[in-house]
């Protein structure tokens, strides 16, 4: 059996700021939290199931030029739901890599939005179908690979 992803851990510079973003804007529930100074973290998920851990251990913002996480893709049920997240993220002041929903590649039914969290970590919210008419910014190359 091939291993499955259990949860994703992200290093952040300011746990309170990141927790506000992932909880209040993206809708994750706090499943657990460590508040001991020098060992702060938050377990995030839905329905009590852990999906994401934020660790306050980073000394600087995300660096796309270093080995490690390329981006974190979050799947939702529909392109309409992607649009709802886009609206909430715009209200929060997030800047996007592309304007609106874009396709994952030319002639792809899947697509989403591409943006950064408060530490610059690259994020994607996508739907597996419904983006048939959306533009593909990178042509035949995967959009998620080049933002």
């Amino acid at each position: 059996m091939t291993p499955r992803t259990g949860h994703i851990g992200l290093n952040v510079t300011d746990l309170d700021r990141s927790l506000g973003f992932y909880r209040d804007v993206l809708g994750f529930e706090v499943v657990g939290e460590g508040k001991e100074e020098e060992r702060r973290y938050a377990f995030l998920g839905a329905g009590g199931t852990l999906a994401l851990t934020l660790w306050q251990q980073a000394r600087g913002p995300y660096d796309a030029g270093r080995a490690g996480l390329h981006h974190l893709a979050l799947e939702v049920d529909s392109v309409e739901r992607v649009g709802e997240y886009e609206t909430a993220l715009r209200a929060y002041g997030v800047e996007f890599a592309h304007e609106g929903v874009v396709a994952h590649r030319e002639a792809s039914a899947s697509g989403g939005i591409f943006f950064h969290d408060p530490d610059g970590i690259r994020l994607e919210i996508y739907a597996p179908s419904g983006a048939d008419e959306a533009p593909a910014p990178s042509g035949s190359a995967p959009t998620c690979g080049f933002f």
Side-chain angles (χ1 to χ4, degrees), residues 25-55:
V25 182
L26 296 184
F28 283 96
E29 299 170 8
V30 177
V31 177
E33 197 170 355
K35 297 181 181 186
E36 180 183 335
E37 197 59 40
E38 303 300 319
R39 296 189 184 279
R40 295 193 61 214
Y41 63 88
F43 291 150
L44 305 177
T49 301
L50 178 62
L52 184 65
T53 303
L54 304 177
W55 303 98

Side-chain angles (χ1 to χ4, degrees), residues 59-109:
R59 291 185 185 93
Y62 175 77
D63 182 353
R66 299 187 65 164
L69 178 74
H70 182 274
H71 75 285
L72 176 59
L74 305 167
E75 182 179 331
V76 296
D77 294 337
S78 68
V79 169
E80 291 77 22
R81 187 73 176 120
V82 173
E84 292 170 8
Y85 276 106
E86 180 185 9
T87 299
L89 289 160
R90 285 196 188 283
Y92 189 79
V94 168
E95 292 184 29
F96 292 82
H98 308 288
E99 189 59 38
V101 173
V102 295
H104 279 133
R105 64 179 51 200
E106 289 178 352
S108 176

Side-chain angles (χ1 to χ4, degrees), residues 13-14 17-18 21-22 61 92 116-121 123:
T13 58
D14 181 333
R17 178 183 68 179
S18 293
F21 177 78
Y22 284 92
Y92 189 79
H116 298 83
D117 85 346
D119 280 305
I121 297 170
L123 300 172

